[in-house]
Amino acid sequence: MDALIHSLSAWDGLPLCVREWHAGTTRRPILCLPGLVRTGADFEALAERIGEGRRVVAVDYAGRGGSGRSRDIRRYAPEPCARDVMDICAALHLHRVVVIGTSFGGLLAMGLAAARPGLIAAAVLNDIGPRVGTEGGDFVRGFIGLDPALESLDACVAFLRQNLPPLSLSTDREWRRMAELTYAPGPDQRYHPVWDIRIAGLLAGRMPDLWPLFGALADVPLLLVRGGVSNILLPETVDRMQAARPDMALVTLPGIGHAPTLTEALAAAALTTFLVRTG
């Protein structure tokens, strides 16, 4: 099923790209929030698996993918992104959603739960918690700030295979699709990131205490997915999350780093069970 592409105008006039897979309204809608510089297209395969009877909506944040670029990098910060997501939900009449947040998208889900408690009916946090591992954070900062300006899509595939953490991608086709979702040809015919690399500048400095935001999810069903060798979501963070939320469902994917695609067999089974439970 092909996605319907919405182009919505943000509060400041910046265009926002939103994908929607619409397969009915008999079940609760799902809001997919990608990683810091990823796009809603990352959820294409997942939407096909979980979309029966649902609307599945996935967002390109400002400065990423098909959404507009801003001269001011502060426009790409978490607070404006959260405002955009809330406005998107209002424009598309999304209420009481199951939010699936990968990495930064999971942190954004926590912020949305605090800012608009009635919006989120259940949450899936994909390889993210209120504390980000230092080693993983350093890698992310360096990766998203780099424009390798590669000469071909094949070169992009080779670059990603060499530099990304262990992922569940196993075939040449899967790696090629990852490259297509990460880099695009520019006017110079070289391949550049599909995000504004200035976003890396927002990661300088010390992260605030995010544990109070995790507490905003206290009253909603929660599933945590962790890559077994992730250096973003560390075991000690998971332990503290479980202590705060003993009812939280948890699935760990052996040998997978940051971040799972959620189409892995263990993740897909856990997600299916969670969605059945939460409607």
Side-chain angles (χ1 to χ4, degrees):
M1 179 175 57
D2 292 334
L4 172 65
I5 306 297
H6 301 283
S7 182
L8 305 178
S9 181
W11 42 275
D12 59 353
L14 207 65
L16 298 174
C17 176
V18 183
R19 290 169 179 80
E20 179 176 359
W21 296 267
H22 199 317
T25 56
T26 58
R27 305 184 71 190
R28 200 178 296 282
I30 294 177
L31 175 65
C32 298
L33 301 177
L36 181 62
V37 294
R38 303 300 303 174
T39 74
D42 281 351
F43 295 96
E44 182 177 24
L46 182 65
E48 293 178 0
R49 286 177 177 243
I50 64 175
E52 183 178 357
R54 302 180 185 272
R55 298 172 67 196
V56 180
V57 173
V59 176
D60 287 7
Y61 311 122
R64 294 83 156 173
S67 292
R69 303 318 194 237
S70 173
R71 294 181 179 179
D72 185 353
I73 66 168
R74 292 174 297 179
R75 178 62 177 83
Y76 305 148
E79 293 80 4
C81 286
R83 180 175 176 180
D84 287 339
V85 172
M86 288 188 287
D87 288 348
I88 287 167
C89 289
L92 297 183
H93 305 287
L94 292 171
H95 311 287
R96 300 295 293 165
V97 301
V98 177
V99 62
I100 300 176
T102 294
S103 194
F104 172 77
L107 297 179
L108 209 56
M110 298 179 203
L112 292 171
R116 190 164 294 176
L119 174 63
I120 296 176
V124 179
L125 302 180
N126 183 17
D127 208 56
I128 194 65
R131 181 178 179 274
V132 174
T134 301
E135 181 183 350
D138 289 343
F139 170 81
V140 168
R141 187 181 305 109
F143 183 83
I144 69 176
L146 174 66
D147 179 359
L150 297 162
E151 67 274 12
S152 68
L153 192 60
D154 287 340
C156 294
V157 170
F159 180 81
L160 292 176
R161 281 181 179 269
Q162 181 177 355
N163 288 282
L164 288 183
L167 298 177
S168 58
L169 310 179
S170 58
T171 67
D172 290 342
R173 182 178 180 181
E174 288 172 335
W175 276 105
R176 193 169 185 85
R177 183 57 177 157
M178 172 61 78
E180 291 172 342
L181 295 176
T182 306
Y183 300 107
D188 59 357
Q189 300 307 307
R190 300 187 77 86
Y191 282 75
H192 304 278
V194 298
W195 60 87
D196 188 332
I197 64 172
R198 296 180 302 153
I199 292 171
L202 297 173
L203 302 181
R206 188 174 182 177
M207 284 190 66
D209 180 9
L210 299 177
W211 286 100
L213 288 186
F214 179 65
L217 293 172
D219 296 325
V220 303
L222 188 60
L223 167 64
L224 179 64
V225 179
R226 179 177 185 263
V229 294
S230 172
N231 58 7
I232 291 287
L233 179 58
L234 303 179
E236 54 265 32
T237 303
V238 175
D239 290 345
R240 184 172 170 184
M241 294 169 75
Q242 287 185 300
R245 285 293 305 270
D247 62 322
M248 178 180 70
L250 170 66
V251 60
T252 300
L253 310 183
I256 302 299
H258 186 78
T261 65
L262 300 179
T263 59
E264 301 88 355
L266 285 175
L271 186 55
T272 297
T273 299
F274 183 75
L275 291 176
V276 168
R277 181 160 61 91
T278 58

